[in-house]
């Protein structure tokens, strides 16, 4: 009669000792969380939970006022840059510029990679980005986080 939903998610949160007040610092922390969530997502064994279908962002101010934002993605992804691109506007929307932040969180809602291709979309276009992301994960795992960096890491 009743089948329980099996929604799964992955997320990271960081509570700051010194509360960041500038956009660049918050974006850097957000990128680091997305990179961690993306690596965990790509290492997932269950094929039903290998792709992000939606993103979630959580922001808490020092007075414990908490804001949450979420967005369904246009297509399932396992690529850090696409997850970050969906979360960045949510952060900009929720955060009051110059206001210190106590906690920042980022997460994804998981599912399989099934989706409808666009009319002019080439099949397998995501594969290259996914393979590059997996290669970065392998290098970081083997040689440490400093082994390879992208522009967002600085």
């Amino acid at each position: 009669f009743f089948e329980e939903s099996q929604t799964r998610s992955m997320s990271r949160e960081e509570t700051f000792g010194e509360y960041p007040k500038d956009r660049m610092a918050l974006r850097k922390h957000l990128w680091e969380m997305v990179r961690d969530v993306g690596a965990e997502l790509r290492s997932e064994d269950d094929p039903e939970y290998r792709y992000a279908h939606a993103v979630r962002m959580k922001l808490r101010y020092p007075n414990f006022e908490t804001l949450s934002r979420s967005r369904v993605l246009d297509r399932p992804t396992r690529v850090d840059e696409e997850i970050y691109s969906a979360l960045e506007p949510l952060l900009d929307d929720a955060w009051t510029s110059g206001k210190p932040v106590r906690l920042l969180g980022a997460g994804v809602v998981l599912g399989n990679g099934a989706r409808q291709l666009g009319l002019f979309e080439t099949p397998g276009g995501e594969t290259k980005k996914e393979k590059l992301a997996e290669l970065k994960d392998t290098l970081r795992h083997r040689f440490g986080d400093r082994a390879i960096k992208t522009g967002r890491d600085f």
Side-chain angles (χ1 to χ4, degrees):
F1 292 31
F2 174 73
E3 188 174 318
E4 189 173 323
S5 172
Q6 295 193 5
T7 302
R8 282 193 38 203
S9 63
M10 292 179 181
S11 64
R12 295 288 181 280
E13 290 184 352
E14 185 174 351
T15 302
F16 305 107
E18 292 185 26
Y19 306 144
K21 297 181 196 178
D22 70 284
R23 187 174 311 279
M24 293 309 293
L26 289 173
R27 285 181 175 175
K28 182 173 172 131
H29 288 292
L30 182 66
W31 170 250
E32 290 168 358
M33 286 185 254
V34 166
R35 197 178 70 190
D36 290 346
V37 168
E40 184 179 349
L41 181 64
R42 287 184 294 277
S43 69
E44 178 64 47
D45 291 332
D46 189 343
E48 289 298 311
Y49 300 107
R50 285 189 182 158
Y51 287 82
H53 283 256
V55 293
R56 295 178 178 163
M57 192 271 318
K58 182 173 166 181
L59 184 73
R60 181 171 292 148
Y61 293 113
N63 66 358
F64 288 91
E65 174 189 0
T66 304
L67 302 171
S68 302
R69 300 287 185 268
S70 63
R71 179 177 165 233
V72 175
L73 300 172
D74 294 333
R75 62 177 184 240
T77 187
R78 297 170 48 167
V79 179
D80 299 343
E81 289 81 4
E82 292 179 12
I83 295 169
Y84 179 82
S85 293
L87 281 167
E88 189 177 35
L90 299 180
L91 173 64
D92 291 342
D93 177 55
W95 180 60
T96 303
S97 185
K99 193 170 181 181
V101 174
R102 175 183 176 81
L103 177 140
L104 182 63
V108 295
V109 178
L110 306 177
N112 65 26
R115 68 182 185 89
Q116 177 72 42
L117 286 176
L119 183 60
F120 300 106
E121 192 173 352
T122 306
E126 284 297 303
T127 308
K128 289 181 184 179
K129 290 180 182 177
E130 289 177 14
K131 286 183 179 182
L132 181 60
E134 289 172 1
L135 178 61
K136 288 184 210 174
D137 293 340
T138 302
L139 290 172
R140 285 186 182 117
H141 180 72
R142 186 169 179 188
F143 299 110
D145 280 341
R146 303 181 113 194
I148 186 167
K149 293 196 178 275
T150 63
R152 291 196 194 277
D153 292 318
F154 291 101

